[in-house]
Amino acid sequence: MDELKEYKVRKIEYSKILICVDSDDFESSKNAFNYACSLAKHYNAALGIASVLETGDLNIFQSLDPDVLKERREEIKELLEVYGEKAKDYGVENVHLMVTEGAPGATIVDKVIPKYEPDLVIVGVEKKNRNRNTIGSQASKIVNGAKVSVSVIR
């Protein structure tokens, strides 16, 4: 109790925010993206926008076909460019786009977060089918595995 009495609330500032968006589920990403843009603009923070090419969604033939992988990478890149433009139009000045591949939860925790080094990670929650292997269904893996603060937005 003494520690609490001595404690003084301090302001938290963010300089790098990471938003993880689903390439095939805008509904679960929309509110999280709005929240990330709002915070990034408020704090004048850099905003990293990441999406994972979910290799588990591809059948064995697709995953071995370089043309299919290239096409999916391009689709995700185009999607992220739209997100990036929306963020800039809203007033976020410093936007970084990241496309990566693998299982969403593990890839975000093991690759994206260590490389980008955000102060805060923001993810949405898939509303329909949480058993799928998408970022929205992987929120608990990101929360439990990340060494930085994570906000889960519905």
Side-chain angles (χ1 to χ4, degrees), residues 29-154:
S29 299
K30 181 172 43 177
N31 288 339
F33 181 68
N34 288 338
Y35 184 69
C37 288
S38 297
L39 286 181
K41 182 177 178 181
H42 175 79
Y43 289 109
N44 196 29
L47 180 63
I49 306 172
S51 191
V52 178
L53 191 162
E54 299 159 21
T55 52
D57 284 355
L58 304 174
N59 67 41
I60 188 69
F61 301 108
Q62 292 172 318
S63 66
L64 295 173
D65 185 337
D67 292 334
V68 170
L69 292 174
K70 182 179 178 185
E71 182 179 313
R72 282 294 296 136
R73 281 186 203 105
E74 285 300 315
E75 289 171 4
I76 293 171
K77 183 179 174 196
E78 288 175 19
L79 177 83
L80 287 181
E81 287 171 356
V82 172
Y83 273 109
E85 286 304 313
K86 296 284 183 191
K88 288 176 183 175
D89 290 346
Y90 182 71
V92 179
E93 295 179 16
N94 192 351
V95 177
H96 303 272
L97 307 178
M98 295 165 268
V99 178
T100 188
E101 298 176 22
T107 300
I108 296 296
V109 169
D110 298 336
K111 294 180 181 177
V112 178
I113 293 172
K115 183 175 180 180
Y116 187 64
E117 298 180 325
D119 307 307
L120 175 67
V121 177
I122 298 172
V123 295
V125 175
E126 186 166 12
K127 296 178 180 181
K128 297 175 196 157
N129 184 0
R130 292 193 183 133
N131 294 323
R132 285 186 42 213
N133 196 28
T134 63
I135 290 171
S137 67
Q138 299 291 302
S140 66
K141 289 183 182 177
I142 296 169
V143 168
N144 292 322
K147 292 180 174 51
V148 298
S149 295
V150 178
S151 289
V152 178
I153 307 300
R154 290 195 185 276

